Amino acid sequence: MMQFTYLMHDKRLCYSQANRLRPLPENVQARYDCDRLVSFRCLPGRRKPDHTVKKLHAAMRPLGIYNGNSICFYGVQSDSPLAPLLLWDAVHFMEIGQKIALVEDTPMPSYLDREYFSRGLKRVHGEDNVAVYEKFATLPAEGDDDLDHWTFGIPVGPEDATVLNAVVKRILELDIPHKEILLCGRPGENFAYFDQVRIVGEDIPAPPVQICKKKNRLAEEAKYNNLVILHDRVFLPRHFGEMVRRFGPRYPLVSMQSLYFDNRLCMHPRRYSDFGIKFGELSHGLTGLHRHSGKASSIAPAMFSELEHVGFGFANPMRYHLDSSYVTGSMCISRKEVWNMFPQDEALLWIEFEDIEHSLRASEGGVPCRVNPHGISQTITSRPLLNGAVPVENINGKITQREPKYLSFFAKKPLFKISQEIAWRKLRKFSEKYISKPLDLLIPVGEREISPIAWISLLNLLVQQASFPNTSSAVKEFINDYEKMLIFDQIPYGTKEAILGSFQENHLGAKRDLIFRNAVLLQNMLYQRPLRSWFCMDIHDYFHSCAYSWPGILFSAAKLCIKNGDFFYFKSIFSAIRCIYNSTPFESYLRKSQ
Amino acid sequence: VNIYIVAQVLGRAATPDLTKFLSRIEVAASMTIPVIAVDQLYNLPQLAQKSNCLIAGHDIAKFSLDDFRDPRQQASLDRFTVDINLLAHQLDNATSSWIVIDFEQHLKMNILDFIRKLGDYIFISKNIEHKNIVLLAQDHHVPYFSRCVNQSVNNLSISPLEVKASGQVMEYLSLRIGFGMRVLPRFIVGPLLLIWRLLARAAPSLQRTDKDTNITDLKRPRSSSV
């Protein structure tokens, strides 16, 4: 007897509801030979379904409806944007030899025809509106259901390892019985856990930072099939083991919501680089020459400035957009086999849209990306560029612009993770390179801190005193040095091009206006930290005091839960409190490194 | 037709070699006319030549932007307009499968004028379908001109954000208001219309103008940000 599972979207998503869909045909249960029929449509005559899944959304995984037998999805692809997530789970929890049928009202491309599924599914029947697949082998993500063995891979560089120590210390504490920590590259001298980690990829040269090569190497070298690749500033939740077990095995590319507090009191929570969405077609079909393959590709060096026009923002964890949602490079949970099937493009370097390219390519190949809602991560440090106003997708699909809390009475964390001393050193280096008599300009290298206005004035003085040929190559080099030695953050590709163009058109004006008219990034930094110094005086500034954080955690959890799903999604307010507390980097994580 | 926007440093030295290398780029099937930006050759010289794309030296027609200059204008002017008839005549006469046009050091506005007229020519011409057009632009302008060419020769998808920004939502609203006006009795509609006209006189932006539907405006590339 065929069982009927009735799916209902969460109403707040504004996806189609059963009362607006036509009912299933009269003899539907007799027409298709399978054990379970799944649809967003009602049975005719208001007959009761055997199972109902209410309030379905992308952060929910209804694994209970899959019992391994054959299954038929009626109209699911056309009724719901969540279809790829449902189909992924259905085929992964189906026994070998069973069939899956996709029935639609009109012919449409089937999601199961994508490359990934060809490893385990073959199309046995295909009429206009009906596609039937038989599972003949296990798919790459279902090698085993073991969630007790995990490899954590972190690409690292040789800089100060205080933050990395905290990240590794937290991983060592996680509720996972068997874990392996892999570092790609050699960490700084003060790294405290050399005996607990395995270091690979020391042969990968830098600069430039070949992040994709490093991540692929981590995936190749991983001992276990459950893989977490994270950056060396991502602080995982204490209950990571519990959250992955609740989410279940056979997962695609998964991310966690990531949070950043601008102050040490856990007030004013913000999302930071976790799960994104592209709002338009990549470069509107424009292509550029790929570095290695000789193919015309949407993500290629000549196209980086154009890609910025596409529009990227924070995706809502409860919604899914086929071939538009992506997992950012900060943290990605994946099966080793899946990653190795869709590795990152090694022709791309850091901040060259490599994470977007990876997720979108995987999605086009049949691997969706989604969010594990049972926990969140926090980022310990942040980049000023990512701290400005950003578009965020709400639960109903509308896009709103979210700004950080510019006016705050709480002492904020440093804007840059580098110290004032290193900043002075870089300024000195810049002046030696571009100023003919550098000693004439007094750089107060002995000063402990400097106010933002004084800092910007000093930058302007340096830029105005700089002299270099007005040739394309010299100006390009100057802009790169200006970015690395004065701004300390990434200047968007479009802005770099605009600066280069302005030097060609009117170089006198271009240099004069560089700081005060063209530097949107500097203005943004000034809005974020108008009064206190931008540099890190003490690494303690990034770590929270446990006692003082509690009121902020309660307040932030309550605030996020008032409009739960609009910005962050939590199961309940208690879950929110637990998730925030478990992922906050407390001062105790500095101990071993001291 | 494939359109390549290539950095001038690559193209100036050896055009036959350049077209030979460009023919090695694998261009995926697309719904639009493919526009490919090439800032560097990377490993193209090392890639194998496609068997069906042998480029002979004489199979390339070379032009510079000056070749399309309107002859009725003063030759000494930096700012000039491209004569579309001349452009159509020159490109129609070019029997080669590769057409290379060098933008040289011309002003950006001259190049944009050319790109707009190239779009007009491609819209009408049938001869161009099996040809490859190579546009040589200054290195740092390659992405910008690529975008302009793409907008000029294709109808592109518009993202939801751009739709929102374009004010089309208000158009839907006005449709609904229009429907309401027809349904409501006249003694209610009359005063409302009067208020609307007074408002429209006070704020001209409320009035619908022909500018909104002017095709030349739609075809014009977005304003320069470079």
Side-chain angles (χ1 to χ4, degrees):
Chain A
M1 177 67 186
M2 180 195 276
Q3 295 204 313
F4 175 56
T5 300
Y6 174 47
L7 305 175
M8 294 169 77
H9 286 129
D10 190 317
K11 280 188 182 166
R12 292 175 297 164
L13 297 170
C14 298
Y15 289 162
S16 55
Q17 297 291 330
N19 55 5
R20 304 190 69 174
L21 295 168
R22 70 171 81 94
L24 293 165
E26 195 59 52
N27 54 350
V28 65
Q29 281 168 303
R31 205 189 293 175
Y32 304 105
D33 177 28
C34 51
D35 296 317
R36 186 179 291 267
L37 177 70
V38 179
S39 182
F40 285 89
R41 303 179 191 186
C42 303
L43 284 172
R46 292 181 179 273
R47 273 180 281 154
K48 281 196 171 178
D50 301 295
H51 306 277
T52 304
V53 178
K54 288 182 181 171
K55 295 186 177 179
L56 184 70
H57 52 78
M60 183 178 167
R61 224 178 158 198
L63 297 183
I65 65 173
Y66 311 113
N67 56 4
N69 295 333
S70 59
I71 194 164
C72 173
F73 283 88
Y74 196 100
V76 169
Q77 285 195 101
S78 48
D79 293 345
S80 174
L82 308 179
L85 306 180
L86 294 167
L87 292 176
W88 169 278
D89 285 338
V91 296
H92 281 87
F93 287 93
M94 200 165 72
E95 302 285 338
I96 291 176
Q98 296 291 349
K99 289 179 183 163
I100 179 168
L102 308 182
V103 186
E104 299 294 339
D105 299 317
T106 51
M108 66 182 294
S110 163
Y111 186 71
L112 298 182
D113 282 336
R114 299 193 175 200
E115 184 193 349
Y116 172 84
F117 300 103
S118 63
R119 301 274 183 100
L121 293 182
K122 66 176 176 208
R123 196 170 178 146
V124 289
H125 177 74
E127 280 178 19
D128 284 348
N129 306 344
V130 185
V132 183
Y133 301 83
E134 186 179 332
K135 189 166 178 179
F136 65 87
T138 53
L139 289 158
E142 53 177 317
D144 58 67
D145 286 351
D146 176 19
L147 293 173
D148 289 338
H149 293 76
W150 285 80
T151 293
F152 297 85
I154 311 173
V156 296
E159 62 270 14
D160 177 74
T162 314
V163 174
L164 178 65
N165 283 337
V167 170
V168 172
K169 187 178 177 186
R170 168 49 65 91
I171 294 173
L172 291 170
E173 284 177 4
L174 295 180
D175 50 344
I176 301 277
H178 306 282
K179 46 185 161 307
E180 177 198 33
I181 302 174
L182 275 182
L183 303 186
C184 189
R186 182 146 288 268
E189 290 299 315
N190 59 337
F191 182 62
Y193 301 96
F194 278 107
D195 53 334
Q196 312 256 23
V197 302
R198 185 154 66 93
I199 295 176
V200 298
E202 286 187 83
D203 55 317
I204 299 172
V209 183
Q210 302 188 55
I211 193 95
C212 299
K213 207 170 188 174
K214 284 188 165 194
K215 287 181 179 176
N216 288 346
R217 182 71 65 85
L218 287 169
E220 280 167 21
E221 297 275 351
K223 192 161 78 175
Y224 303 127
N225 289 327
N226 296 304
L227 185 66
V228 184
I229 292 185
L230 69 162
H231 286 184
D232 54 2
R233 54 170 178 73
V234 178
F235 202 69
L236 292 176
R238 197 191 304 269
H239 64 295
F240 180 85
E242 180 199 320
M243 57 177 283
V244 292
R245 280 187 278 273
R246 283 176 72 186
F247 192 69
R250 310 181 191 186
Y251 46 84
L253 295 184
V254 180
S255 182
M256 278 192 271
Q257 297 168 90
S258 174
L259 192 148
Y260 180 62
F261 288 112
D262 222 2
N263 49 66
R264 296 176 65 211
L265 298 173
C266 293
M267 296 292 282
H268 312 316
R270 310 210 3 243
R271 265 178 83 178
Y272 189 90
S273 179
D274 50 6
F275 185 58
I277 178 177
K278 71 176 172 82
F279 295 121
E281 196 185 343
L282 281 184
S283 309
H284 291 293
L286 194 61
T287 53
L289 180 59
H290 187 266
R291 277 199 185 105
H292 292 170
S293 69
K295 288 181 182 168
S297 162
S298 299
I299 298 183
M303 297 294 39
F304 291 152
S305 59
E306 294 311 300
L307 285 168
E308 288 168 350
H309 291 273
V310 175
F312 300 99
F314 284 109
N316 193 289
M318 297 173 75
R319 301 176 67 86
Y320 179 73
H321 299 268
L322 180 62
D323 301 338
S324 289
S325 304
Y326 64 88
V327 173
T328 64
S330 301
M331 197 201 64
C332 181
I333 303 173
S334 164
R335 292 283 302 182
K336 182 181 172 180
E337 306 92 331
V338 174
W339 186 285
N340 287 336
M341 192 173 170
F342 296 98
Q344 288 206 333
D345 183 355
E346 294 189 5
L348 298 173
L349 307 170
W350 184 56
I351 56 171
E352 289 189 344
F353 303 94
E354 77 289 349
D355 46 357
I356 297 174
E357 192 275 343
H358 178 234
S359 283
L360 296 184
R361 183 161 42 83
S363 176
E364 280 161 19
V367 183
C369 48
R370 63 188 307 173
V371 169
N372 182 335
H374 305 292
I376 58 168
S377 64
Q378 286 195 35
T379 178
I380 299 177
T381 58
S382 74
R383 280 168 57 201
L385 179 71
L386 304 182
N387 274 341
V390 280
V392 178
E393 186 193 26
N394 290 345
I395 189 167
N396 56 7
K398 287 184 181 163
I399 312 295
T400 49
Q401 198 81 359
R402 294 270 184 161
E403 288 192 336
K405 202 82 173 173
Y406 290 124
L407 184 65
S408 168
F409 299 105
F410 309 113
K412 291 186 174 181
K413 289 179 182 173
L415 195 61
F416 301 114
K417 68 175 178 181
I418 62 166
S419 66
Q420 183 76 63
E421 197 186 338
I422 294 175
W424 289 134
R425 218 177 287 158
K426 291 196 174 183
L427 240 63
R428 170 70 71 194
K429 208 172 157 191
F430 181 88
S431 69
E432 278 166 12
K433 186 168 178 183
Y434 288 102
I435 299 176
S436 54
K437 290 181 182 172
L439 291 176
D440 289 355
L441 178 74
L442 185 66
I443 297 175
V445 286
E447 282 198 19
R448 212 161 59 84
E449 61 178 323
I450 184 169
S451 74
I453 297 292
W455 173 255
I456 290 179
S457 303
L458 187 60
L459 295 190
N460 187 46
L461 211 56
L462 275 166
V463 167
Q464 300 314 325
Q465 293 216 0
S467 49
F468 52 94
N470 197 40
T471 61
S472 170
S473 54
V475 174
K476 271 183 196 166
E477 192 181 338
F478 172 77
I479 295 169
N480 285 337
D481 289 337
Y482 167 70
E483 179 186 32
K484 286 192 182 110
M485 298 181 197
L486 303 187
I487 299 284
F488 307 122
D489 201 359
Q490 177 203 1
I491 299 177
Y493 291 97
T495 311
K496 275 187 187 176
E497 257 179 49
I499 296 173
L500 192 61
S502 63
F503 268 94
Q504 186 188 18
E505 281 169 15
N506 173 14
H507 62 276
L508 297 176
K511 191 153 133 325
R512 190 184 58 226
D513 298 340
L514 187 62
I515 293 288
F516 289 113
R517 294 212 180 150
N518 285 338
V520 179
L521 194 59
L522 270 179
Q523 286 171 15
N524 190 19
M525 290 175 191
L526 197 58
Y527 293 156
Q528 289 177 47
R529 300 286 186 283
L531 299 173
R532 68 161 284 180
S533 168
W534 290 353
F535 299 96
C536 180
M537 306 296 291
D538 185 351
I539 202 73
H540 276 84
D541 290 346
Y542 285 112
F543 291 84
H544 298 231
S545 151
C546 187
Y548 291 132
S549 293
W550 264 111
I553 289 173
L554 296 176
F555 183 79
S556 298
K559 191 180 167 191
L560 291 174
C561 284
I562 288 173
K563 283 191 171 182
N564 193 12
D566 250 1
F567 195 38
F568 273 84
Y569 168 68
F570 294 105
K571 294 268 180 188
S572 64
I573 185 160
F574 300 108
S575 161
I577 294 168
R578 185 169 177 242
C579 288
I580 296 174
Y581 177 77
N582 277 353
S583 60
T584 302
F586 292 118
E587 284 168 336
S588 58
Y589 288 88
L590 282 165
R591 266 177 218 141
K592 184 155 185 183
S593 49
Q594 282 177 340
Chain B
V1 54
N2 286 349
I3 303 178
Y4 300 86
I5 321 293
V6 182
Q8 273 172 346
V9 283
L10 307 176
R12 284 274 169 80
T15 312
D17 276 352
L18 176 74
T19 46
K20 192 170 75 181
F21 296 147
L22 292 180
S23 69
R24 296 175 185 176
I25 298 177
E26 278 183 49
V27 184
S30 160
M31 287 180 176
T32 53
I33 295 176
V35 178
I36 304 120
V38 182
D39 58 339
Q40 287 185 46
L41 289 176
Y42 299 113
N43 60 346
L44 281 182
Q46 285 85 48
L47 290 180
Q49 183 73 45
K50 284 185 229 164
S51 56
N52 56 349
C53 283
L54 291 170
I55 315 286
H58 62 270
D59 197 24
I60 301 163
K62 289 185 210 166
F63 298 97
S64 74
L65 210 56
D66 273 327
D67 296 330
F68 310 113
R69 183 195 275 254
D70 190 339
R72 291 161 292 190
Q73 288 181 322
Q74 283 183 37
S76 60
L77 283 178
D78 277 347
R79 171 81 181 96
F80 65 84
T81 50
V82 168
D83 184 351
I84 189 163
N85 292 315
L86 189 60
L87 183 134
H89 180 72
Q90 300 259 40
L91 295 191
D92 278 343
N93 283 350
T95 51
S96 338
S97 57
W98 287 82
I99 295 169
V100 179
I101 301 166
D102 194 344
F103 289 161
E104 296 176 324
Q105 299 292 316
H106 280 288
L107 294 180
K108 205 192 307 175
M109 52 184 77
N110 297 346
I111 297 169
L112 291 180
D113 184 44
F114 168 80
I115 290 173
R116 207 171 302 137
K117 284 168 182 168
L118 180 70
D120 290 346
Y121 170 72
I122 289 175
F123 183 79
I124 297 164
S125 171
K126 288 198 168 47
N127 298 339
I128 204 79
E129 274 176 15
H130 302 291
K131 290 183 180 177
N132 296 292
I133 299 176
V134 181
L135 305 174
L136 300 179
Q138 290 173 35
D139 308 5
H140 57 279
H141 284 160
V142 167
Y144 174 66
F145 287 138
S146 304
R147 184 192 344 147
C148 295
V149 171
N150 198 31
Q151 287 174 340
S152 176
V153 301
N154 289 314
N155 291 300
L156 302 173
S157 69
I158 297 171
S159 72
L161 275 187
E162 283 174 300
V163 171
K164 201 175 168 187
S166 69
Q168 285 178 334
V169 179
M170 290 306 288
E171 298 275 327
Y172 293 127
L173 191 65
S174 72
L175 280 178
R176 288 189 180 189
I177 292 171
F179 175 73
M181 292 287 189
R182 275 157 184 76
V183 172
L184 288 173
R186 209 162 170 76
F187 70 91
I188 298 175
V189 174
L192 286 174
L193 273 177
L194 189 68
I195 293 166
W196 176 257
R197 280 179 192 146
L198 286 171
L199 277 174
R201 195 175 294 170
S205 61
L206 289 173
Q207 290 175 344
R208 187 188 289 220
T209 60
D210 289 338
K211 196 184 166 192
D212 295 337
T213 52
N214 190 344
I215 189 71
T216 53
D217 274 6
L218 291 176
K219 284 200 77 177
R220 191 167 295 151
R222 275 189 285 179
S223 60
S224 147
S225 62
V226 175

